[in-house]
Amino acid sequence: MAQVQMPPSRAWKFHLDFEGIGWLTIDVPDAPVNTLSRETLAELNGIVTALEDMQQSGELKGVALLSGKESGFIAGADITEFDEMGDPGVLRAALDRAHALFDRIEALKVPVVAGIHGFCLGGGFELALACHYRVAVNDDKTRLGFPEVNLGMFPGFGGSGRSIRQAGPVDAMQIMLTGKLLRASQARRMGLVDKLVRVRDTLRWEARKAILQGRKSAVAPLAKRAMALGPLRGYVANKMRAEAGKKASLEHYPAPYSLIDLFEAHGNDWRAMKEGEAERFIPLMNSDTSKNLRRVFFLSEGLKKQGVRGKDKAVFRRVHVIGAGVMGGDIAAWCALRGMGVTLQDLDMERIKPALDRAKSLFKKRLRTKTEIDNAVARLEADVTGKGLARADVVIEAVVENLEVKRKIFADAELKTKPGAILATNTSSIELERIAENLTAPGRLIGLHFFNPVAQLPLVEVIRSRFNADADIARGASFALAIGKSPVVVKSAPGFLVNRVLMPYMLGAVQRVEAGANKEQIDAAAVAFGMPMGPIELMDTVGLDVGKSVAEELGNPVPANSQFAKLIADKKLGRKTGQGFYTWTNGKAVKGEVPPHPDLAGLGRELVQPLVNATSVAVAEGVVASDDLADIGVIYGTGFAPFLGGPLQARKDGRA
Ligand code: T1G
């Protein structure tokens, strides 16, 4: 009986062992992660044909599907190919091929077991769900999920149906609508994974056992599936629409609503759900929203390349933060949360204690076990005497915006820190050259400008002065990446990038209110355009006093007879004092009715013009190196409508 020959493949390796188990390993050459490109899927297609023949001939007892890459299983379909599939017919054909292929894998009579470690995302997760049984490594690195919604889409390789079959409608829709990634243990609890192993080395052994025992995954129990039956499905769909509406409007982000429509139509029948995907997936994939979100994905990926890479990769273990105010305390907490040893210095414990308390509540929110929380607390030390300076790899100053105070701190730090330690200021307004000029080595000082709230906003502006060398800035970017932030390098200039573009937009809105415009309408217009929050509410959130000082630093003094100046004089500084342009109750702005307006989004577009103009001037003046960096920097720093791709992309598209 002739052995069935496996077709040649670049990405897949196959080995049939003495027990008749076929070990199918994906390892896409020259790529840090496995993705399902058209070529990789076509190769798999040929392999499945051979498997069908081997099954026919009886030499195949089962198939174990694993990844040969350290980084993980499969990170999804190959996003780099999406722009080439603009023709709906081409895309439909590609989707139909993938569906047919996954259906054939599912139809194999021998057990097909997926062994999952690391990332198992999007199309990769869909392939695993087409297998008969899933074993996953229960460690910190393994993550499973459907991030497609972050790209303006939803699963298109049958995952919308198969995930509902395995986990039931509510859990499955939840992970598809939020894009939230699951730990292996969570996926196990949901029924999306069948078996957990502690380490990757035992994955093969467990997969072998599952094959030899002919294990099959159980579908979701009726109690879970009931949520999609009869009229309940419409009710659940409306609940999901309401939930989605709190985060994203249908107009700007159609994908979650399209998925909910698909669920409302077919959520009780996983095959119909799967079959109904393509019709809705194709217009989403070719939408401007998805094209812009895909560009944002690659721009954010690009930010990961800024640091020092390879063998000279910088290693950071200890951070010393000077100043335990809101920013200093939260920067210290974030660094400790991300695994750094942190010493937090201020004049006395009375000033440090509130920061430690805030840190503990952050740790409780972000960490799972008591041990993890205790370890994070232990990593964050109060340090009134500044003994942490000598051991620090990075020193971050976040004290009051006073030049002389900052100069004194760095003159002292320069003497006490070890050679090679990064000296960084979190100033949001003072030019670096003025802080650094009296230092022995002014090139050691860089800016690391974090944004409030530190735990939510991903951006860190890495500020470059004329004293800095490329290596100084690259190390600063490496540190930002090491603590899970997204660094954008910006030249030391008034307001740097984010404040420089945000302030004209906020002041422009304030002037309209001063001239009689309705603040609720102004804010609603900006949100209708795509901003996360209106400019007046944002001014109150940032604090009118902070807004005034940034405005003046940018050369826009606040008129003394203005309502703005009067509010500040009356200590009505916004959310932090309970009164600003709005009254604030329980941290929320109390807003009146929004008067009707013929074109709210159009008004919103007018409102953001100063921001878009300032962004293009910032690039022209070399404050930031490119339109791409400006777009991703402004999106991450201000939340500017990601579905528009950033202010400059929006202008290029005639949408701002
Ligand atoms: N397609 C193309 N390239 C990808 C990719 C993907 N899916 N995932 C990663 N890369 C590239 C990335 O650009 C970078 O390239 C390199 O791999 C290493 O990544 C039908 C339609 C997996 C968490 O949305 O979130 O499946 O910069 O440095 O930090 O339903 O990459 O080195 O040239 O980021 O460890 C759904 C996207 C696709 C996951 C790894 N999948 N990827 O992060 O490594 S849509 C996603 C990520 C889909 C189907 C639908 C992250 C990561 P380069 P890296 P990392």
Side-chain angles (χ1 to χ4, degrees):
M1 176 176 61
Q3 280 247 335
V4 173
Q5 287 310 307
M6 255 317 137
S9 166
R10 290 181 67 246
W12 304 89
K13 290 181 187 49
F14 181 82
H15 161 67
L16 184 69
D17 73 10
F18 70 98
E19 294 179 303
I21 296 179
W23 297 93
L24 181 57
T25 304
I26 181 172
D27 192 344
V28 177
D30 315 323
V33 300
N34 288 322
T35 59
L36 299 175
S37 65
R38 283 171 292 185
E39 182 195 6
T40 302
L41 287 170
E43 290 179 353
L44 182 58
N45 199 55
I47 290 166
V48 171
T49 306
L51 292 175
E52 287 162 342
D53 297 345
M54 291 169 80
Q55 166 184 272
Q56 202 66 27
S57 68
E59 60 186 304
L60 184 69
K61 299 290 183 290
V63 179
L65 173 56
L66 300 134
S67 161
K69 269 196 199 316
E70 188 55 39
S71 61
F73 187 68
I74 300 170
D78 185 343
I79 306 170
T80 62
E81 294 187 334
F82 291 4
D83 289 354
E84 302 150 27
M85 290 196 261
D87 174 322
V90 170
L91 180 52
R92 177 80 208 210
L95 292 170
D96 290 349
R97 282 195 301 275
H99 274 248
L101 174 59
F102 287 17
D103 290 353
R104 287 168 57 211
I105 292 170
E106 191 165 59
L108 284 170
K109 300 206 177 21
V110 296
V112 181
V113 174
I116 299 164
H117 75 281
F119 295 109
C120 176
L121 308 177
F125 192 20
E126 295 174 275
L127 175 55
L129 287 169
C131 299
H132 305 141
Y133 193 83
R134 286 155 290 282
V135 184
V137 178
N138 189 20
D139 63 5
D140 272 348
K141 289 210 185 100
T142 299
R143 290 289 184 278
L144 305 96
F146 294 121
E148 284 89 339
V149 73
N150 305 329
L151 300 169
M153 298 177 258
F154 59 69
F157 288 172
S160 69
R162 291 193 173 97
S163 60
I164 285 180
R165 178 194 67 196
Q166 293 307 123
V170 174
D171 285 343
M173 287 296 286
Q174 191 59 20
I175 60 171
M176 289 189 273
L177 290 172
T178 62
K180 186 168 167 296
L181 303 188
L182 303 171
R183 304 177 66 88
S185 52
Q186 293 169 307
R188 172 80 189 83
R189 278 196 295 280
M190 283 185 182
L192 294 164
V193 158
D194 305 287
K195 179 77 178 163
L196 299 177
V197 293
R198 263 177 354 87
V199 291
R200 186 179 169 199
D201 295 350
T202 54
L203 211 45
R204 293 176 72 90
W205 181 251
E206 196 58 44
R208 172 182 170 277
K209 279 204 310 185
I211 288 169
L212 296 179
Q213 294 165 4
R215 293 188 209 150
K216 275 208 174 315
S217 178
V219 299
L222 182 57
K224 278 189 157 186
R225 285 185 276 127
M227 298 301 280
L229 300 179
L232 204 47
R233 192 163 69 252
Y235 169 79
V236 172
N238 287 336
K239 292 275 281 172
M240 290 174 183
R241 286 189 187 96
E243 209 43 49
K246 291 180 191 150
K247 292 214 182 71
S249 72
L250 165 62
E251 188 208 347
H252 300 155
Y253 297 97
Y257 299 92
S258 180
L259 178 62
I260 295 168
D261 295 347
L262 177 60
F263 167 76
E264 185 162 25
H266 303 299
N268 60 327
D269 174 348
W270 72 270
R271 288 186 181 78
M273 189 82 180
K274 183 167 75 68
E275 295 317 316
E277 279 177 1
E279 186 201 334
R280 293 169 184 281
F281 182 92
I282 293 167
L284 288 176
M285 175 124 143
N286 293 328
S287 66
D288 290 339
T289 290
S290 182
K291 288 179 187 148
N292 285 326
L293 291 177
R294 295 193 311 253
R295 175 173 166 270
V296 169
F297 167 73
F298 285 115
L299 290 181
S300 73
E301 292 294 308
L303 296 181
K304 295 178 184 173
K305 294 206 181 68
Q306 291 178 103
V308 183
R309 313 187 84 185
K311 63 177 181 32
D312 305 332
K313 188 173 170 72
V315 177
F316 306 98
R317 290 193 185 80
R318 300 205 58 80
V319 179
H320 183 75
V321 177
I322 304 172
V326 173
M327 289 306 290
D330 292 0
I331 292 168
W334 181 261
C335 292
L337 179 74
R338 301 297 299 203
M340 301 282 164
V342 181
T343 42
L344 177 57
Q345 179 179 3
D346 210 317
L347 300 174
D348 53 43
M349 267 315 286
E350 204 187 329
R351 283 182 172 82
I352 298 175
K353 179 88 176 46
L356 299 182
D357 297 343
R358 282 200 316 277
K360 190 148 189 195
S361 54
L362 173 73
F363 300 152
K364 284 186 179 144
K365 250 192 259 139
R366 296 295 186 98
L367 300 171
R368 291 169 331 113
T369 66
K370 184 173 180 322
T371 315
E372 288 175 343
I373 294 166
D374 294 348
N375 291 346
V377 169
R379 282 195 295 271
L380 177 52
E381 291 169 61
D383 180 11
V384 175
T385 60
K387 68 181 185 317
L389 261 176
R391 292 177 294 148
D393 301 307
V394 181
V395 175
I396 303 174
E397 164 273 315
V399 302
V400 61
E401 291 289 70
N402 175 300
L403 177 60
E404 286 321 312
V405 173
K406 292 179 189 291
R407 281 180 167 167
K408 192 167 164 313
I409 284 172
F410 286 110
D412 178 54
E414 191 178 32
L415 300 173
K416 292 183 179 157
T417 44
K418 61 186 181 185
I422 293 178
L423 301 181
T425 172
N426 181 58
T427 181
S428 61
S429 59
I430 303 176
E431 281 176 76
L432 256 62
E433 286 81 356
R434 297 173 63 201
I435 302 172
E437 61 196 4
N438 302 340
L439 294 175
T440 317
R444 281 185 70 186
L445 181 73
I446 63 171
L448 287 177
H449 185 220
F450 291 75
F451 292 83
N452 189 7
V454 174
Q456 268 82 41
L457 292 177
L459 183 71
V460 170
E461 289 179 321
V462 179
I463 315 299
R464 178 177 195 141
S465 80
R466 61 182 161 77
F467 300 120
N468 294 131
D470 291 351
D472 303 320
I473 296 303
R475 292 189 69 240
S478 292
F479 172 69
L481 290 166
I483 58 171
K485 291 294 182 188
S486 299
V488 170
V489 176
V490 174
K491 195 172 83 176
S492 170
F496 309 138
L497 173 65
V498 171
N499 285 346
R500 177 190 179 120
V501 306
L502 208 46
M503 199 40 70
Y505 152 69
M506 294 161 74
L507 288 177
V510 167
Q511 277 145 20
R512 284 173 184 256
V513 170
E514 300 260 356
N518 174 280
K519 61 182 182 295
E520 283 85 356
Q521 189 180 69
I522 292 284
D523 279 352
V527 172
F529 170 83
M531 297 305 282
M533 174 194 287
I536 304 300
E537 183 179 351
L538 183 59
M539 187 66 91
D540 269 9
T541 305
V542 169
L544 275 61
D545 52 338
V546 176
K548 179 170 180 289
S549 74
V550 175
E552 280 157 2
E553 181 242 315
L554 291 175
N556 307 308
V558 173
N561 61 353
S562 66
Q563 182 195 356
F564 192 175
K566 188 165 179 330
L567 285 167
I568 295 171
D570 299 345
K571 292 274 173 279
K572 296 175 177 171
L573 306 178
R575 185 169 70 175
K576 60 187 173 190
T577 60
Q579 181 66 52
F581 286 98
Y582 289 105
T583 302
W584 290 77
T585 311
N586 305 329
K588 290 225 168 317
V590 179
K591 292 194 173 184
E593 282 302 303
V594 176
H597 187 282
D599 178 11
L600 215 49
L603 172 59
R605 185 172 165 162
E606 277 176 40
L607 287 167
V608 299
Q609 291 312 304
L611 183 154
V612 182
N613 298 342
T615 307
S616 101
V617 173
V619 175
E621 293 182 359
V623 172
V624 63
S626 67
D627 288 8
D628 282 354
L629 281 172
D631 273 337
I632 193 71
V634 174
I635 288 173
Y636 278 175
T638 72
F640 183 97
F643 72 93
L644 290 174
L648 301 182
Q649 183 64 38
R651 175 151 292 170
K652 282 177 198 143
D653 296 343
R655 302 175 74 184

